[in-house]
Amino acid sequence: MKLLLSNLVVVVSLLLGMPLIGIGQESENLDQRIFLLTNELRCLVCQNQSLAESEAALAVDLKNKVVKLIEQGKTDDQIREYMVSRYGDFVLYDPPFKLKTMLLWWGPFLILLLMLIMAKSFVSNKKIITGSQSYTEEQLRNARKKLNE
Amino acid sequence: MIKYLSPLLVFIVLAGFLAKGLYLNPKEIPSPLIGKKIPDFKLSGLSKESPLVFSDDLLGEPFIINVFASWCGPCLDEHPILIELADTKAIHVFGLNYKDNSSNALNWLEKHGNPYQSIGVDPKGVVAIDFGVYGVPETFLIDSDGFIRFKHVGPLNRETINEIFKILEELPK
Amino acid sequence: MIPEIGNFLLMLALVVAVIQSVFPLVGASRGNFQLMSLAVTSGRLQFILILFSFFCLIYCFLFNDFSVLNVAKNSNSSLPWAYRIAASWGSHEGSMLLWLVMLSGWTFAVSIKSRQLPMEMLSRTIGVMGLISIGFLIFIIFTSNPFDRLLPAAADGADLNPLLQDPGMVIHPPMLYMGYVGCVVPFAFAIAALLGGRLDSTWARWSRPWTTYSWVFLTIGIALGSWWAYYELGWGGWWFWDPVENASFMPWLSATALMHSLAVSEKRGGFKAWTVLLAILTFALSLLGTFLVRSGVITSVHAFASDPARGIYILAFLVLVVGASFSLYAIRAPKVGVGGSFDVISREGALLANNILFLASTAAILLGTLYPLFLDALGLGKISVGPPYFDVIFVSIMTPAIFFMGIGPLAVWKKAEIPDLVFRLKWLMFIAGTAASICMFFAGKWSPLVILGVFLAFWIISSSFLVFFERFKSVSQSTNLTNIGVCRRLPLGFYGMLTAHFGVAVFIIGVTAVGGYEQEKDLKMRIGEGVQVENYIVRLDRFAEIKGPNFDSTVGVFSIFEDGNFIAVLKPEKRFYHVQQMPMTEAAIDSSVTRDLYLSLGEPLQDGSWIVRVYLKPFVGWIWAGAFVMALGGILAASDRRFRKLREEKVREKNLV
């Protein structure tokens, strides 16, 4: 069982890690870059839309500004910084990780951990069948054979 | 026992925040520019004969920047208060004409009175972006060294004017 | 006259609701059958009263009674009749009445379908639903009355918001509310069970079909809303993590956890305290959603006109209902016990893991939705939490949940044979991995997220097939039925589970393909010009002007070519609605199984050209198809013979007595 658990842990943590890899890459493609950037910047005058989605006058101005800044060779981070220095963290749909957003980013995983600890009480005060990790390779082979029959 | 009480406790905390939230305005965005120096700008004046306005020229005395446009309804709402403020001659009021047609703006000022000692024209809203303007009208209080001390979004009212004067008094002379 | 009748019916309903809740609850605690018998009658009467009150409102809208404030604000004489009906739930007041119709409708259904319930249990359940009804009736009558008069009457109405003038408005809110409010049934059952101290597996069995049905409606409602936003808003997104969407998604996640937890409670007697908590939580989240949408504490694309008085009332009601429920839980649940024992590696184990992950993701969405409010309340400034946050957190938490989804049905109850399970899982991994690699090979380009998505989809599909064949084999070995006979022997609930899981796989494929391969182009186009997107050519042929019933429209006529062959004409519109003086974008979509080609008109430019948005969205239809397959699975599961048999057994018992 230890084997299975360790396997599971590896797989799960791999799967957990995978989505994180895809985020934050800078795209080479210009259209794609504009699209991604204006999607994560919030329109200030709308109820709740990104710059990309909005057709409000200010949103159009800011979109054009983004394009201009890209043409000037600014990086995505510099463009985000440009917006934040004028409008504050409010413009970022992707809240930056800092002291006051720590709970936001870690919270979900803390909650998960807390619930796992609580859930242990469902299981651990029951007897867990011991010796299950002592299956030999032969027993495993037999089991497989049985299954294939 | 705490295990069974925890949903209730979490909920009580949550409800407290929600109650507080009822008295907050989620649409009001504080400016990160407070305490920062105003961005440099160079703007042409409203009429053809008026000279260019440089940001540095305005420094030396505390002053107010008011972002306005002739197409903006709330600007008209705050206009009488601005005129009143201008009449006291207590402080220089600079008008930033935002994404407007200059002749419309001139007519508008002719009709309703001109509270501005000087006016800069920002037809494409470029300078306004540097000031983090997101809704007209907006009003900034700048101290003599060019640092932004206060910002108000939306039409001015007497309370905001009082607030502005309070901050002015506290400024080192 | 009609509005007064509607108003009167509401007041009458309030009186009946008081009877419906007080007498049966008192009766149940004293064992007084006469008092308890009031539950069913008053519950049904209440439904009839509210339904007719609702008809009165529809009548006012349909016949343009602009002396009613609500009608004057949200309708117009030139509005087509179907939208006039839909406008009756287009405003805050009307939608609250729709909510109430649904609530009393569910009460009615419980009163009809649950005659086999013990008298005490039934009266308590209906009584609890009556209490909720009282809260909402007071709210409607005193703060949001849809029948308030406008004197003098308006000459014509201010019209329904053009965004809402769409077939989606006719069907999406009723479906969504049906699901939202349906959460009240398992909640009422749970509270009744806590009050009566009867948390046994029969309680779980009663709750299951109700939970599943409300989950089905919620699923369909959310999917319709997403589809509507996709074609109506004109920028081709299907999910925005807007607070309103989150408000409906949180109860959905929690209801999903509840369904699975109920399965354990019913079959194994386990997780009882946990299941009760989930039932309360699901309804609490549905109430919280109502508060968030209607109080204005949070900015959203879809907020109703906010009014602090309403916010305070709903919050007070929320605190009362949820606070009382959680207090009751804290008092009674410790005596319930944990239920049957099981090993970590078992079906219970997998279901527990599923529950925890679903709940953690619900908590994460709640945290993300309210975090800006938390910071603001603490004076720490304003931030925004948007799709980038939710995407990362949600995918991270749900990925292992999907993984367990493949394992759960394969593991046996109580304690699974580990080597056996490992052996099968390794095969599944291999199959899913191979299938994903083949897909990636044909797709050409890929990203880690795409691989993950495709792998998970095949993981679910292959696991579902394996589960089916194993079950099939075990039945056919122990009986001498024909193949078809074996298929018929397998319970509907089993097929429901497989179907719903399969729906998740379909959904994941859609999400993955759109996320990984969608193409978006914002272009300047002139008449006669064509643009190429992948192997498609989109050509702007001409513009036409059209007059609608209450709008004018500029229609762009585009020809679409696939690999050089003409396939379709698309006509996106830019409408202008007269009454509200509001422009609207109507997208045009060419849909097929493997992709949507989506056109929407932007703004006209001074030089005569137009901004045109062209999107190519591969497999986007699978997102909603997946949701509907999930809902179908839910319907199958809820109509399992087992739940009907229970009824028959009870009736037989009664007859014997």
Side-chain angles (χ1 to χ4, degrees):
Chain A
M1 198 185 76
K2 253 187 193 157
L3 187 76
L4 173 77
L5 274 181
S6 64
N7 269 348
L8 267 184
V9 167
V10 170
V11 169
V12 168
S13 53
L14 264 178
L15 291 174
L16 267 170
M18 277 174 86
L20 301 171
I21 301 166
I23 311 285
Q25 293 173 329
E26 249 175 57
S27 170
E28 308 280 304
N29 183 322
L30 183 70
D31 276 352
Q32 199 65 16
R33 249 187 91 187
I34 296 171
F35 179 72
L36 290 176
L37 254 176
T38 52
N39 256 304
E40 60 172 73
L41 292 170
R42 181 169 186 168
C43 165
L44 292 124
V45 289
C46 320
Q47 286 285 351
N48 191 5
Q49 290 180 338
S50 69
L51 290 184
E53 292 156 359
S54 175
E55 283 180 13
L58 180 65
V60 174
D61 287 354
L62 289 178
K63 256 186 277 191
N64 291 334
K65 191 80 209 183
V66 169
V67 175
K68 214 175 261 170
L69 290 171
I70 288 178
E71 282 166 358
Q72 285 169 14
K74 297 275 196 292
T75 65
D76 287 3
D77 276 337
Q78 282 170 325
I79 295 172
R80 280 188 207 110
E81 180 47 40
Y82 177 93
M83 293 294 168
V84 169
S85 66
R86 283 156 182 77
Y87 296 102
D89 283 344
F90 185 85
V91 286
L92 299 180
Y93 264 135
D94 193 1
F97 185 85
K98 32 171 118 164
L99 191 64
K100 66 179 182 183
T101 56
M102 207 146 73
L103 211 56
L104 176 69
W105 286 105
W106 287 351
F109 302 102
L110 284 178
I111 293 166
L112 189 60
L113 198 70
L114 211 69
M115 282 203 285
L116 282 174
I117 292 168
M118 274 188 154
K120 244 187 94 190
S121 69
F122 279 112
V123 188
S124 62
N125 54 3
K126 309 288 156 200
K127 63 178 172 84
I128 290 174
I129 293 95
T130 45
S132 49
Q133 64 268 59
S134 59
Y135 287 106
T136 60
E137 192 47 41
E138 201 184 320
Q139 280 173 305
L140 285 172
R141 224 176 292 130
N142 286 342
R144 264 173 230 153
K145 216 184 271 169
K146 228 189 236 169
L147 215 106
N148 290 339
E149 273 164 14
Chain B
M1 192 58 204
I2 191 75
K3 199 167 83 184
Y4 295 100
L5 263 177
S6 54
L8 185 64
L9 299 177
V10 172
F11 175 72
I12 289 171
V13 174
L14 182 68
F17 274 109
L18 293 178
K20 176 95 205 257
L22 282 173
Y23 298 97
L24 300 170
N25 178 5
K27 280 180 212 155
E28 204 182 278
I29 308 158
S31 173
L33 291 166
I34 306 282
K36 301 256 166 66
K37 196 145 196 273
I38 54 165
D40 282 333
F41 60 79
K42 182 179 85 180
L43 293 165
S44 47
L46 190 53
S47 57
K48 274 178 206 130
E49 49 275 16
S50 50
L52 290 177
V53 187
F54 291 89
S55 44
D56 286 349
D57 296 350
L58 292 162
L59 304 186
E61 285 284 312
F63 68 103
I64 283 173
I65 297 179
N66 178 259
V67 188
F68 78 104
S70 66
W71 46 261
C72 135
C75 296
L76 201 54
D77 294 343
E78 68 169 11
H79 207 69
I81 293 184
L82 268 179
I83 299 265
E84 233 175 83
L85 180 69
D87 285 347
T88 63
K89 300 217 162 53
I91 188 162
H92 183 101
V93 181
F94 171 74
L96 184 68
N97 188 226
Y98 177 71
K99 295 182 88 168
D100 205 354
N101 173 312
S102 287
S103 63
N104 287 353
L106 279 170
N107 285 340
W108 191 80
L109 289 173
E110 183 112 337
K111 196 169 155 197
H112 304 289
N114 183 355
Y116 307 109
Q117 267 103 323
S118 56
I119 295 174
V121 183
D122 186 16
K124 296 211 165 137
V126 180
V127 173
I129 289 182
D130 283 339
F131 272 92
V133 171
Y134 65 91
V136 242
E138 281 191 17
T139 308
F140 298 81
L141 174 65
I142 322 289
D143 68 15
S144 45
D145 296 324
F147 289 92
I148 299 175
R149 291 292 169 175
F150 173 81
K151 174 186 177 179
H152 178 77
V153 181
L156 291 167
N157 49 39
R158 254 163 250 290
E159 274 166 47
T160 25
I161 296 288
N162 289 339
E163 208 170 328
I164 286 175
F165 276 113
K166 232 176 98 192
I167 297 170
L168 261 180
E169 274 166 29
E170 285 162 11
L171 285 180
K173 292 278 148 65
Chain C
M1 191 59 195
I2 296 289
E4 277 69 35
I5 295 177
N7 201 9
F8 179 70
L9 288 173
L10 281 183
M11 305 226 183
L12 220 52
L14 179 58
V15 176
V16 175
V18 173
I19 297 173
Q20 179 196 331
S21 48
V22 175
F23 292 111
L25 284 174
V26 171
S29 67
R30 294 196 183 158
N32 181 331
F33 274 83
Q34 258 173 328
L35 290 181
M36 283 194 266
S37 64
L38 279 170
V40 169
T41 331
S42 52
R44 289 181 191 172
L45 181 60
Q46 148 121 263
F47 172 58
I48 293 164
L49 291 171
I50 289 175
L51 190 65
F52 275 93
S53 172
F54 188 56
F55 285 153
C56 290
L57 183 65
I58 292 180
Y59 178 93
C60 295
F61 271 95
L62 207 50
F63 294 96
N64 296 320
D65 187 348
F66 297 122
S67 70
V68 176
L69 184 64
N70 188 19
V71 181
K73 272 189 181 166
N74 296 292
S75 186
N76 184 273
S77 52
S78 63
L79 194 63
W81 68 268
Y83 295 149
R84 292 216 291 276
I85 293 179
S88 53
W89 53 79
S91 65
H92 159 77
E93 291 84 357
S95 63
M96 281 322 297
L97 188 54
L98 179 69
W99 172 287
L100 206 56
V101 172
M102 297 299 174
L103 176 59
S104 56
W106 282 102
T107 314
F108 187 75
V110 169
S111 80
I112 285 183
K113 289 283 177 190
S114 300
R115 265 171 300 183
Q116 83 284 3
L117 281 180
M119 192 67 170
E120 259 182 51
M121 184 76 183
L122 180 63
S123 347
R124 285 204 173 101
T125 306
I126 293 184
V128 170
M129 293 173 90
L131 286 175
I132 305 296
S133 204
I134 293 177
F136 277 104
L137 273 166
I138 293 178
F139 180 58
I140 290 183
I141 295 173
F142 296 106
T143 75
S144 328
N145 197 321
F147 297 107
D148 276 348
R149 287 283 197 175
L150 174 68
L151 290 172
D156 206 335
D159 208 359
L160 182 64
N161 183 340
L163 267 176
L164 304 181
Q165 296 185 28
D166 182 89
M169 182 62 193
V170 181
I171 179 149
H172 158 69
M175 282 292 163
L176 189 67
Y177 279 27
M178 194 85 170
Y180 242 149
V181 185
C183 303
V184 78
V185 184
F187 166 78
F189 271 122
I191 297 295
L194 280 177
L195 284 171
R198 273 190 64 152
L199 276 170
D200 44 21
S201 62
T202 21
W203 155 73
R205 191 176 284 198
W206 291 323
S207 301
R208 274 189 87 183
W210 295 102
T211 309
T212 311
Y213 275 125
S214 58
W215 178 88
V216 166
F217 282 114
L218 205 48
T219 310
I220 295 175
I222 294 173
L224 283 174
S226 150
W227 185 44
W228 182 17
Y230 167 75
Y231 71 72
E232 182 71 24
L233 294 179
W235 62 84
W238 59 275
W239 190 258
F240 306 95
W241 296 106
D242 185 78
V244 169
E245 291 170 320
N246 296 349
S248 64
F249 193 44
M250 288 187 285
W252 185 87
L253 285 170
S254 169
T256 311
L258 175 61
M259 271 195 314
H260 290 89
S261 178
L262 275 169
V264 182
S265 298
E266 187 215 347
K267 292 205 171 131
R268 308 285 314 160
F271 298 181
K272 277 188 278 188
W274 175 255
T275 309
V276 169
L277 182 62
L278 278 178
I280 298 174
L281 196 66
T282 306
F283 185 59
L285 286 169
S286 132
L287 279 183
L288 178 72
T290 312
F291 171 78
L292 290 183
V293 178
R294 287 159 206 272
S295 63
V297 293
I298 270 167
T299 7
S300 143
V301 276
H302 183 311
F304 288 93
S306 54
D307 173 348
R310 288 174 188 161
I312 291 166
Y313 183 92
I314 307 184
L315 185 60
F317 184 61
L318 181 78
V319 168
L320 204 66
V321 172
V322 182
S325 308
F326 280 152
S327 306
L328 184 67
Y329 173 80
I331 296 165
R332 288 290 166 91
K335 296 180 192 98
V336 170
V338 247
S341 66
F342 59 89
D343 197 25
V344 194
I345 310 299
S346 63
R347 192 178 293 184
E348 286 99 324
L351 282 169
L352 181 63
N354 147 302
N355 260 290
I356 288 172
L357 291 164
F358 266 76
L359 216 58
S361 65
T362 312
I365 294 173
L366 187 65
L367 187 69
T369 309
L370 293 180
Y371 207 81
L373 172 72
F374 293 159
L375 285 191
D376 199 11
L378 296 171
L380 292 172
K382 305 252 174 169
I383 63 158
S384 300
V385 180
Y389 169 83
F390 290 108
D391 284 344
V392 172
I393 299 290
F394 189 70
V395 172
S396 308
I397 297 181
M398 285 318 270
T399 301
I402 303 290
F403 187 71
F404 283 115
M405 206 172 125
I407 301 175
L410 281 172
V412 292
W413 293 110
K414 210 164 175 184
K415 177 183 181 296
E417 288 299 326
I418 292 148
D420 192 32
L421 189 62
V422 168
F423 172 72
R424 290 183 293 171
L425 290 181
K426 279 188 178 160
W427 267 107
L428 284 184
M429 286 259 186
F430 176 71
I431 294 169
T434 314
S437 320
I438 293 172
C439 284
M440 289 310 100
F441 178 76
F442 281 109
K445 63 173 190 143
W446 47 270
S447 68
L449 265 181
V450 171
I451 296 182
L452 175 70
V454 177
F455 174 82
L456 288 177
F458 281 106
W459 169 259
I460 298 169
I461 294 171
S462 49
S463 141
S464 299
F465 271 107
L466 186 58
V467 170
F468 178 76
F469 284 120
E470 285 184 358
R471 190 91 180 246
F472 184 90
K473 218 162 100 186
S474 79
V475 174
S476 72
Q477 271 167 3
S478 58
T479 56
N480 43 11
L481 292 165
T482 61
N483 283 352
I484 295 169
V486 174
C487 289
R488 290 174 68 175
R489 171 66 72 85
L490 295 172
L492 261 184
F494 176 65
Y495 286 114
M497 184 262 288
L498 289 181
T499 312
H501 285 187
F502 185 72
V504 175
V506 173
F507 172 80
I508 292 177
I509 291 173
V511 175
T512 307
V514 173
Y517 300 107
E518 74 176 324
Q519 299 267 331
E520 193 228 39
K521 288 213 159 122
D522 255 342
L523 302 152
K524 219 157 98 174
M525 283 183 88
R526 286 168 190 286
I527 291 177
E529 253 176 8
V531 292
Q532 182 152 14
V533 184
E534 300 273 284
N535 55 334
Y536 295 92
I537 291 174
V538 176
R539 193 183 69 203
L540 174 57
D541 292 337
R542 63 194 168 85
F543 281 99
E545 300 293 328
I546 288 182
K547 264 199 176 325
N550 52 351
F551 60 85
D552 286 329
S553 174
T554 305
V555 184
V557 182
F558 294 81
S559 296
I560 315 295
F561 300 87
E562 182 176 19
D563 301 320
N565 304 314
F566 171 81
I567 53 165
V569 172
L570 286 181
K571 296 175 175 170
E573 294 180 41
K574 197 88 193 173
R575 288 184 183 170
F576 188 78
Y577 283 80
H578 306 306
V579 184
Q580 296 221 332
Q581 294 284 304
M582 192 171 148
M584 276 289 306
T585 308
E586 290 281 317
I589 305 168
D590 182 60
S591 289
S592 79
V593 177
T594 54
R595 56 110 188 98
D596 269 14
L597 192 72
Y598 186 113
L599 289 187
S600 93
L601 285 178
E603 298 297 319
L605 299 175
Q606 278 165 354
D607 59 357
S609 60
W610 278 69
I611 298 281
V612 180
R613 290 181 173 184
V614 183
Y615 302 85
L616 189 64
K617 302 208 166 246
F619 290 90
V620 68
W622 290 42
I623 292 173
W624 307 293
F628 285 110
V629 174
M630 281 184 234
L632 180 69
I635 295 172
L636 286 178
S639 39
D640 192 309
R641 222 182 305 134
R642 204 173 61 247
F643 301 120
R644 260 175 293 152
K645 219 194 261 163
L646 169 89
R647 211 168 298 144
E648 286 156 19
E649 274 166 20
K650 283 278 169 182
V651 171
R652 223 176 298 135
E653 264 173 45
K654 235 185 222 164
N655 292 345
L656 284 175
V657 173

